[in-house]
Amino acid sequence: MQQSRRCSTKLLASTAEPAVPAPTTAPHLDMASTNAQERLLDAPFEDFATSYNPHRICKPRIYAPEALLCKQSLYFAAMFEGPFKEGEEQSTTLEEIDGVVTPRSLQMLVQWVYVGRVVFGECAPDVSITTAIEFARLADMCRITGMEFVMAEHIRAIILANPAPLDPEWLGRAPDTNTYCLTSQHITSAVALPEGHPVRAILAAAAVEGCLRKYHYKFEREASRVPEFSVDLLKAVRAALESITIEFNATTFEDPISRLRFGLKRT
């Protein structure tokens, strides 16, 4: 269940153009300015947002150009361009909602609005996945599109880069390898996204290998108690079963995450 906190973040829509380093006349200074811009564009979302927003978390205010906000978000377009006080004040206060409106998801929003991408810094795999889901949910709330597959592919890359350790019992790869860095909270948070959302689909796809190779697989409980995840997993399993081949009396399927083939046999 989403919980709104007392603390809030004020989002201010500026009519000014996005700030960029001022041009210089000296060639070597021009190059330095260009390099600074390039470094900023490649900066993690926390650093990027901070560079455009002088206020820190103790005074949580986030600035973003009104034109960019309204162009990319029907939510903010209705808010700032409609007959509401937000349009007059050019600001709105967003109450924090666990898993949706958080300081870091708003920082990601700022970077996405400015440059159309999000750069993740180094952090634990499960935290990075949590962050991606938060941003997907904030974007859905604000009716911002275009980032759904980007976040899904980010999660898929994390899953592939952080497999479970080899398991002697399975003579190598364990069936729950793809879900090693996923948590139950990831599942329950992602199902708040619309049905068919790529982030929901990628989490379900991660559970397919375990579901088809092991009786008591990770997230078996969620599959029986979270209806939305049950539907997503069923769709993912159906898609995997379409890849079945039979060769030399061995029935195999293609895992949708790793694209490797495994025997269709639960143990």
Side-chain angles (χ1 to χ4, degrees):
M1 180 178 180
Q2 296 178 3
Q3 294 185 351
S4 177
R5 301 177 181 175
R6 283 192 172 184
C7 47
S8 60
T9 299
K10 183 174 285 292
L11 180 67
L12 296 101
S14 169
T15 56
E17 292 296 320
V20 294
T24 60
T25 54
H28 68 283
L29 292 180
D30 282 334
M31 182 174 294
S33 177
T34 300
N35 291 338
Q37 278 187 273
E38 292 176 350
R39 286 195 299 271
L40 179 59
L41 292 177
D42 293 331
F45 64 84
E46 301 98 326
D47 298 335
F48 183 94
T50 300
S51 70
Y52 282 106
N53 295 276
H55 300 274
R56 303 296 178 138
I57 297 303
C58 58
K59 270 191 170 182
R61 293 187 176 188
I62 292 181
Y63 292 82
E66 178 190 355
L68 292 180
L69 271 179
C70 295
K71 180 181 180 180
Q72 298 193 38
S73 169
L74 295 176
Y75 176 85
F76 289 120
M79 183 181 294
F80 291 123
E81 295 178 349
F84 306 108
K85 69 174 184 177
E86 288 84 358
E88 297 177 1
E89 298 175 355
Q90 289 297 286
S91 69
T92 184
T93 298
L94 301 177
E95 297 294 333
E96 287 195 41
I97 302 174
D98 287 338
V100 187
V101 182
T102 66
R104 64 185 176 188
S105 68
L106 287 170
Q107 289 173 336
M108 297 170 76
L109 173 68
V110 169
Q111 189 173 47
W112 182 267
V113 165
Y114 270 100
V115 297
R117 63 173 177 159
V118 173
V119 180
F120 290 82
E122 293 185 8
C123 62
D126 61 321
V127 174
S128 188
I129 292 173
T130 297
T131 304
I133 295 173
E134 282 182 5
F135 179 53
R137 291 184 62 185
L138 176 64
D140 178 64
M141 184 189 87
C142 297
R143 302 177 69 183
I144 295 175
T145 59
M147 43 60 62
E148 300 89 344
F149 286 100
V150 176
M151 292 300 106
E153 283 304 307
H154 173 71
I155 293 173
R156 181 174 183 270
I158 294 174
I159 291 172
L160 291 173
N162 298 275
L166 297 180
D167 189 339
E169 181 181 348
W170 293 90
L171 302 179
R173 182 184 174 97
D176 288 325
T177 291
N178 289 333
T179 54
Y180 180 66
C181 58
L182 297 179
T183 67
S184 180
Q185 185 177 359
H186 292 148
I187 302 299
T188 56
S189 179
V191 296
L193 291 165
E195 184 177 355
H197 195 288
V199 168
R200 280 180 56 167
I202 205 70
L203 295 182
V208 167
E209 182 187 348
C211 179
L212 294 180
R213 294 182 62 202
K214 186 178 179 182
Y215 278 112
H216 301 295
Y217 60 95
K218 189 175 180 180
F219 301 137
E220 180 182 24
R221 179 174 179 175
E222 286 77 5
S224 64
R225 298 191 178 187
V226 183
E228 297 88 350
F229 181 63
S230 302
V231 172
D232 293 344
L233 182 57
L234 178 60
K235 291 179 180 178
V237 168
R238 281 181 176 175
L241 292 179
E242 292 180 359
S243 70
I244 283 180
T245 60
I246 302 176
E247 296 180 0
F248 306 107
N249 296 322
T251 303
T252 64
F253 70 94
E254 183 182 270
D255 169 48
I257 296 293
S258 66
R259 301 303 181 189
L260 299 174
R261 299 196 70 84
F262 300 101
L264 187 63
K265 181 180 180 181
R266 300 180 95 188
T267 57

